[in-house]
Amino acid sequence: MKYVSTRGSAPILDFEQVLLAGLAEDGGLYVPQSWPQFSADELRAMRGLSYVEIARRVMTPFIGDAIAPADFARIVEDAYAGFDHKAVTPLKQLDQNFWVLELFHGPTLAFKDVALQLLGRLFDHVLTKRGERVTIVGATSGDTGSAAIEACRDRASIDIFILHPRGRTSEVQRRQMTTVLSSNVHNIALEGTFDDCQDQVKAMFNDPAFRASQRLSAVNSINWARIMAQIVYYIAAGVALGAPDRRIAFSVPTGNFGNVYAAYAAKQMGLPIEKLVVGSNRNDILTRFFNSGEMKITGVEPSLSPSMDIQVSSNFERLLFDMMDRDGRQLAETMTSFRASGSFAVGDNQLGNAKQLFEAHRIDDAQTQDIIRTIHAETGEILDPHTAVGVGAGRAVSLDPDIALIALACAHPAKFPDAVEQATGIRPALPRHLADLYEREERVTVLPNDLAALQKYVSEKTRLKGAA
Ligand SMILES: *Cc1c(COP(=O)(O)O)cnc(C)c1O
């Protein structure tokens, strides 16, 4: 399998290169040159298989001969062995034709684990084979840092440094990061804000000598392998409910558009999907786009679903590439003027085609609370605020009554206990594997908001030291 950049002028890469590259040299995102196809019979043959076996079948065409089949099988098995549900991503029925797909059974209780647990192992495998190492550096406001840390902990070829703003994350979020005591994990509490953390990470990447000597890398949301890993649970859930012989639709709470783009990819690969419902919170750039054809930047406001508080959805570029018939030059021009003017629009035809599959709804904080309360009253299930946005958007769509609607449950309610308690009066408990989180030892280094101090710390702690 070969991968092309959405902006048309970066080199065509194979899987191993695309995994390590992340962003393309021309500023674009990598996508497969063509979509692997699964026939109806091949999909039917996946019914009843384990998640790990479905994952192996779905991802193998993307990997080609980059990783030996036996190695890949072992990596996939290992990636999902730590999930606390044997089905990895179980489905739970809430109504006659309505399910939630629970994606929060990984180590940090959010769906990003599904992709990152695999990504960390793939990175390590490929780097070890090449005799290389990397230093991952990232900033977090609290939510995504722990998933990256859990993905990279104890990996022989990776050191990871995550900056969080000191005193500005919730205690659960901080402890999920700082109680990982692996020697290759370095938590930095920066004396500053989340923006300061992001600026310092950018500054480290923008220092060419430091970037090269430390072999800096990132596991960000535009990496193709993350999308690849997310395609699996759409196919697994679809076939479990009877696809391709039963009509299905998904409702996905959306920030960077990565998760719902993976659903789109599953459809391109042969899974029949009637509708993809895009749920946004008050930061509704995507909902406005699907309703008007115009993508227009406005400010970001905090909401009850912070992982969806985004200004621009970076992975949307991958869908736009297909909407523009894979014309990289046209897409690059569109993105350049988008950056300059803060908006772009697509034609009526392009929008009309997209709307055959996509439908978007905005769910504000009051509606989010209302959905958490209502679903709890109706079913006894407690949803986290992100999941509630997806469920609310799904319920706003009028689907044929025979279509099975699957809403993606993207975080465990205990990750956002305040919003859940406000809606239901119940403070959700942490699952068993994190029950002793508040007793665990923490390790964290407080550093000033100063580039030189950070660079000194990273270069002293990384196991690269002296290896260059
Ligand atoms: C990251 C995240 C999202 C948004 O996913 P995208 O792939 O960025 O659209 C939604 N919910 C939770 C809990 C998340 O962590």
Side-chain angles (χ1 to χ4, degrees), residues 238-254:
V239 300
L241 290 185
D245 304 305
R246 180 189 202 174
R247 298 207 292 162
I248 55 168
F250 291 98
S251 183
V252 190
T254 307

Side-chain angles (χ1 to χ4, degrees), residues 143-258:
D143 214 38
T144 54
S146 56
I149 286 171
E150 285 289 348
C152 296
R153 67 182 295 174
D154 306 318
R155 306 273 143 242
S157 305
I158 305 175
D159 289 291
I160 180 165
F161 296 78
I162 296 292
L163 282 64
H164 68 266
R166 184 181 187 203
R168 292 175 198 238
T169 65
S170 77
E171 186 169 6
V172 182
Q173 288 173 334
R174 186 191 74 234
R175 286 180 167 274
Q176 281 194 299
M177 299 189 282
T178 57
T179 58
V180 178
L181 303 179
S182 306
S183 62
N184 70 329
V185 170
H186 306 280
N187 278 290
I188 298 171
L190 194 82
E191 305 270 27
T193 63
F194 172 54
D195 285 338
D196 294 329
C197 294
Q198 275 192 312
D199 288 346
Q200 293 293 4
V201 168
K202 269 189 211 144
M204 284 190 255
F205 274 94
N206 287 338
D207 175 345
F210 184 75
R211 181 181 180 151
S213 71
Q214 300 304 314
R215 303 203 177 91
L216 292 195
S217 183
V219 286
N220 44 31
S221 72
I222 50 84
N223 194 298
W224 165 256
R226 282 179 68 167
I227 305 285
M228 174 186 80
Q230 292 177 246
I231 297 169
V232 174
Y233 49 73
Y234 288 101
I235 295 184
V239 300
L241 290 185
D245 304 305
R246 180 189 202 174
R247 298 207 292 162
I248 55 168
F250 291 98
S251 183
V252 190
T254 307
N256 271 321
F257 204 73

